[in-house]
Amino acid sequence: MTDLFLGNARPYGEGDPVGVLVRDGVIAELGPDATAPDGAETIDAAGLVLLPGFVDLHTHLREPGGEESETIATGSRAAALGGFTAVFAMPNTDPVADTDVVVEHVHRRGEEVGLVDVHPVGAVTVGLEGTKMAELGTMARSRAQVRMFSDDGRCVHDPLIMRRALEYASALDVVIAQHAEDPRLTAGAQAHEGVVASRLGLAGWPATAEETVVARDCALAREAGAALHVCHISSAHTVEVLRAAKAAGVRVSAEVTPHHLLLTDGRLTGYDPVNKVNPPLRTAADTAAMRAALAEGVIDVVATDHAPHASQYKDTEWQAARPGMLGLQTALSVVVHTMVEPGLLDWRGVARVLSQRPAEIVGLPDQGRPIAVGEPANLVLVDPDEVWTVRGARLASIAANTPYEGMRLPATVVATILRGRVTARNGVAA
Ligand code: DOR
C-alpha cells in the first residue's frame, strides 16, 4: 500500500498546520516537520479541518430486499462521501437481519464494497414481530460480530421481552438500541401532536409516546445492568428523563438525528411527504432542546437515520408515504449549521458526537480514535468554508428523498480515509 501524506492539515481545526504521514493504514508521523516521502499519494489540506472518520450508529442500507431504494454499494458510497468510515446497518430488511446468515451476508457485502466498515445491527425479535426473541448470542458470535441489536422502525414494546433482551445484552456485552415509541399511543398517528397537526387534520403523535418508553427502559436497563441506547430522540421531555437516568448511573446513551436538530413541524403545511419521518418533526422548542442536550452531552451522538425510499413509496399522498429521510451526505453540514455556527460545538465537539462517542458506545476499537501517531488512519478532511446546494438527484443514494433539497449548507467533505485508503475525494467515491 502506498504511503499517504496530508500536508498543511489542522487536526480538530486547532493550532498550526502539520503534516500527517499515513503508512500501512496507521498514522506514522504527525508534526510541522513531517514531509512527504517519495512516491506517496499527497493531499494538500491547507485550510481544511482534519477529524476522525465519522461513525453512524443508525443507517438503513435496505439490502437485502429493498434494492430499489438503496444497496450496500450505493449506501457505502453515500457514507464515504459524507465522511463516514463506519456505519451500523439497521435490520428492517427483507429478509429481516434476525439470524447469523443475514447479518453475515450484510457484513460480507460491506467488506466486498470496501468503502466503509458496515456493521449489521441484529434484530431483537424474530421478524421484528416483537413476540419472540431472536438468537442474539448466535449473531454476536457470528463472523459479523454483531454489537448492537434493535427492532428499529418498531418499538420493542413488550416489557418482558425488553427485560429479557437487556439481560442477554448484559451477558453478551452488547447494546440494545430502542426505537422508543409506544404503539398504543401512536396508533394512526401522522404528525407531531400539536397545533400544526390539528390545523392540517393529521392524527397526532404525542411526545409522551417516546418519553414513557425511555423511562420504562431506563428502569429495565438499570435492573439488568445493561447498556441501553435510545434511537432518534425527538422530544424535550425525553431529554429530562435521560438526564435523570444518567445521573442515577443507568448505562444509557442516546442519539439525535440531523433533521431533529434543524427541522420542525412547520414544514408540514404543504403536505410534502419528504417531511414525513418517524419520530415526527416536532416544534422549535424541541429542536432547541435537542441542540442544548447534544452540546451538554445528555444526548451523546448524532446518528443519521439515513432512510432511503424510492419515489413509488415517497411521492404519494401523505398518509400512504413511508417515513424517512436521506441523511449520510448532509449530516456533517447540518451539524455545522445547527451546532458549530451558533457556537454550541467546536470541531473537537463535532469529533465527539460524530465519531468518538458513537465508537465508544458500541466498543469499536479502531474507530473514533484520537488523531495521533500509532492510531488507525480513519480520517476525514473537511472544508469548513465551502457552502454547497443540496440536490437529491446528485446524491449517491438510489433514492432522492432529502428534506434539504435546494438548501445552501456549510461545510463539505474533501476526503475520507479508511485505514489509510482514500474512499472519497472531492465528491467522488473511490
Ligand atoms: O423515519 C423512519 N424511517 N424511522 C424509522 O424508525 C425507520 C425508518 C425506515 O426504515 O424507513
Side-chain angles (χ1 to χ4, degrees), residues 58 60 62 92 152-153 179 232 277-279 305 307 309 323-325:
H58 196 140
H60 296 272
R62 301 293 187 227
N92 59 341
D152 180 63
H179 173 119
H232 42 51
V277 66
N278 176 348
D305 199 358
H309 289 298
M325 303 171 162

